[in-house]
């Protein structure tokens, strides 16, 4: 994701990017289509969403409970539901959530759509799968739209996320995608401080950038 961000903070690319996303853009995976509003994380030119979709494609999700924390366009949640999962999709961005509510009607796919700052409003149930494609660029987000990209100067997003995971009373399978270009050292130090462990279960190189899917668990049992 960062390679892309490096480009989008370039003034010329920023100009082009804003122009392209002035209007909602369609995004399609298999036969599922979402409308991505300018305020929502765009899966078109980034790799992480597509890598997660292809990874999820191989999973048996029948009757499994599935949480997407920070769902953005909701394409992952809709796809997981189409594979038989009982899906909860959360985000802090209300424009994203409203668009997902429209998309689930248009695609005839059921997803529980929930406004939540990280796990705050998530029910105390155990999920079989939790997927997170986090913002990881170290800058303070100026608005809710920027929260799709920026995790805070001090990686506050990860500090809060890992604290909340470590306090959950379940030992769940949590999957998080990160890229070689983000500050993995800082993120994993924060993770360790919260008594969590990680293991890389999938690696995918796209346009010279290595992307990893990590499984995060409590204790040392992976
Ligand atoms: C990199 S985008 C990923 C979107 C989507 N999961 C995907 O893969 O296309 C990160 C998402 O997390 C959301 N987000 C950021 N901070 C959040 C928070 N504190 N609580 C809930 N969602 C958050 C953003 O609004 C954004 O939709």
């Amino acid at each position: 994701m960062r390679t892309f961000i490096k480009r989008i903070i370039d003034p010329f690319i920023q100009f082009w990017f804003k122009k392209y996303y002035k209007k909602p853009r369609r995004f399609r995976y298999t036969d599922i289509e979402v409308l991505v509003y300018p305020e929502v994380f765009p899966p078109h030119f980034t790799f992480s969403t597509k890598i997660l979709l292809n990874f999820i494609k191989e999973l048996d999700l029948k009757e499994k409970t599935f949480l997407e924390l920070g769902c953005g366009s909701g394409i992952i949640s809709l796809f997981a539901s189409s594979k038989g999962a009982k899906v909860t999709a959360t985000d802090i961005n209300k424009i994203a959530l409203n668009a997902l509510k429209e998309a689930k009607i248009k695609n005839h796919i059921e997803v529980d759509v929930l406004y939540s700052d990280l796990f705050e409003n998530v029910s105390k149930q155990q999920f079989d799968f939790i997927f997170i494609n986090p913002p990881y660029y170290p800058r303070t987000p100026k608005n809710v739209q920027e929260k799709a990209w920026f995790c805070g100067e001090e990686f506050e997003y990860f500090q809060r996320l890992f604290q909340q995971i470590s306090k959950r009373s379940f030992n769940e399978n949590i999957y998080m995608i990160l890229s070689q270009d983000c500050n993995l050292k800082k993120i994993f130090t924060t993770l360790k401080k919260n008594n969590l462990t990680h293991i890389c279960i999938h690696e995918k190189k796209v346009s010279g950038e290595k992307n990893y899917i990590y499984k995060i668990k409590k204790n040392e049992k992976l």
Side-chain angles (χ1 to χ4, degrees), residues 1 3 47-55 177-181 200-214:
M1 193 169 85
T3 313
F47 311 129
S48 51
T49 312
K50 279 167 255 171
I51 292 169
L52 283 178
L53 284 164
N54 291 336
F55 179 79
I177 188 161
L178 292 169
S179 146
Q180 73 173 127
D181 288 333
C200 181
I201 54 160
H202 183 76
E203 187 179 317
K204 179 84 185 162
K205 196 170 185 179
V206 191
S207 293
E209 179 187 344
K210 280 188 190 162
N211 294 267
Y212 311 102
I213 298 178
Y214 292 97

Side-chain angles (χ1 to χ4, degrees), residues 22-74:
K22 238 184 173 145
K23 59 177 186 181
R25 296 280 175 179
R26 291 180 208 288
F27 181 77
R28 180 174 269 270
Y29 188 75
T30 62
D31 56 348
I32 304 171
E33 189 174 275
V34 291
L35 204 51
V36 185
Y37 285 82
E39 300 82 359
V40 176
F41 180 78
H44 309 81
F45 304 109
T46 51
F47 311 129
S48 51
T49 312
K50 279 167 255 171
I51 292 169
L52 283 178
L53 284 164
N54 291 336
F55 179 79
I56 288 166
K57 199 174 190 173
E58 305 304 320
L59 300 178
D60 178 8
L61 294 180
K62 272 224 160 66
E63 299 298 317
K64 298 284 194 288
T65 48
F66 183 108
L67 170 67
E68 187 184 10
L69 201 80
C71 61
S73 69

